[in-house]
Amino acid sequence: MDAARLRTSWNLVAAHGDQVPLYFYSALFLSHPEIRQMFPTNMAGQRDRLVTALGHIVSQVDQVDRLTGFLRDLGADHRKFAVRPEHYPAVGEALLATLRHFLGDQWTEDLARDWADAYQLVSRVMIEAAQAAEQVNPPWWVAEIVGHERRTFDVAVLTLRPQYLLPFTPGQSIGVSHPAVRAWRYYSPANAPRPDGTIELHVRAAAGGAVSSRLVYGCAAGDQIHLAAPVGDRLTLWPAGGADLLLLASGTGWAPVKALVEQVAAEGSRRRVDLYVGARSRLEFYDTDAVDKLAAAYPWLTVTSVVGIDPRRPGEVTYPVDRALADGDWRSRHVYVCGSDEMVGRTVQTLSRAGYHAGQVHHEGLGRHWYGPAWRTAVESSPQDDSGGAR
Ligand SMILES: Cc1cc2nc3c(=O)[nH]c(=O)nc-3n(C[C@H](O)[C@H](O)[C@H](O)COP(=O)(O)OP(=O)(O)OC[C@H]3O[C@@H](n4cnc5c(N)ncnc54)[C@H](O)[C@@H]3O)c2cc1C
């Protein structure tokens, strides 16, 4: 298999932008109409996901060893879409038809064989992982909403009780879907695992957002939703060992950070933890009671609230990192950062300029990503990521 040729051909195809997913899904649904019902009714958000991810992964087949962990997670995770082994050849055919269409004269028999072999390798890893996962976890969990509180106009705090225990590590995210929407998004539990297995989620309704709007405005206690296995290790505490921590959170980025604080408390370690929690305005601090309770309960925890926008200084945004660096030098600590992609990008840049090294800064942005945290770790950090701004 000539991996360089696969990548070059994929880049040529990807340059056709939105036309590529449009063609791919038409080919897939025309040849296999039974697959259509596995995708959301509104395909707008989906369009750039599956085919772009597939093309990117398959064309990196020479690094399949490095990608194996990601592919296994992806295979196991795709059980939540009710994907079965017989669906993989259908997707492979649509992928090859798409490549053939966009490559025109450059689509040769050799290239077709390489793509088919590479796809088979990738799909075999995913299918085997899905089968192995059957022994460990259900494809998804049904959970009852046992608490639903609208804390601000667009933020709700949900308490969920899964029918079976859903194990997770603080800092991870879980898949969430509403049965009426048929789309999955990631949300981060805002608590350390509890003896009763309940999970707290903090959800901000994105304007026009399919899943978040449903969770904030269209759900109530007693409703059922679906959850999928936890993913991600970017915000988990293990790389920090027993080090003191600086935690920087904005908006609903507070959710996984709250889980980390609870974990430190549960571990009974002697870390010092300084938390800077930000919101655009005072009215947007949606979890003040919980923050105050934590600060009062734990002498090792110091909390500072940071209001992002001051009407007296229009156009300027103060992020938690700005206040934290003004307050002290934290370079002996591990730093955990969560918020919007913009907040995280600004924070990481500021820390790097101030001499913090990448290994001590752990961050997760809550923006839209094809396959969430696992995708970022495995693929976006790829040294050979030559996808040309695939995100
Ligand atoms: C690892 C991870 C953890 C996350 N944890 C949380 C969490 O704890 N709480 C939480 O509220 N959200 C969280 N998110 C974001 C969440 O997964 C969804 O992206 C978000 O709720 C929007 O989904 P939607 O279906 O409502 O919007 P979509 O239907 O996907 O999009 C609708 C519109 O909103 C825009 N949009 C989509 N996502 C975002 C976004 N994240 N920010 C701004 N605009 C967006 C789109 O561009 C589009 O215009 C997390 C994301 C990731 C990757």
Side-chain angles (χ1 to χ4, degrees), residues 6 9 14 22-23 61-62 85-86 113 125 128 138 145 170 197 209-210 225 243 257 297 317 321 372 378:
L6 287 177
S9 58
L22 215 55
Y23 190 93
V61 71
D62 54 332
E86 60 268 29
R113 199 172 324 108
V125 176
E128 283 171 7
I145 301 179
I225 59 173
V257 171
V317 181
V321 69

Side-chain angles (χ1 to χ4, degrees), residues 292-355:
D292 290 349
K293 267 192 201 144
L294 290 168
Y298 302 120
W300 42 262
L301 176 68
T302 305
V303 179
T304 308
S305 302
V306 182
V307 177
I309 295 174
D310 180 346
R312 288 165 303 179
R313 285 197 302 253
E316 263 181 51
V317 181
T318 306
Y319 289 101
V321 69
D322 303 324
R323 182 66 60 78
L325 294 195
D327 283 354
D329 181 350
W330 314 93
R331 276 175 296 179
S332 61
R333 298 198 181 190
H334 276 256
V335 188
Y336 283 77
V337 186
C338 193
S340 66
D341 281 355
E342 195 185 345
M343 174 270 189
V344 171
R346 249 292 301 275
T347 303
V348 171
Q349 200 179 41
T350 307
L351 290 171
S352 156
R353 284 199 190 124

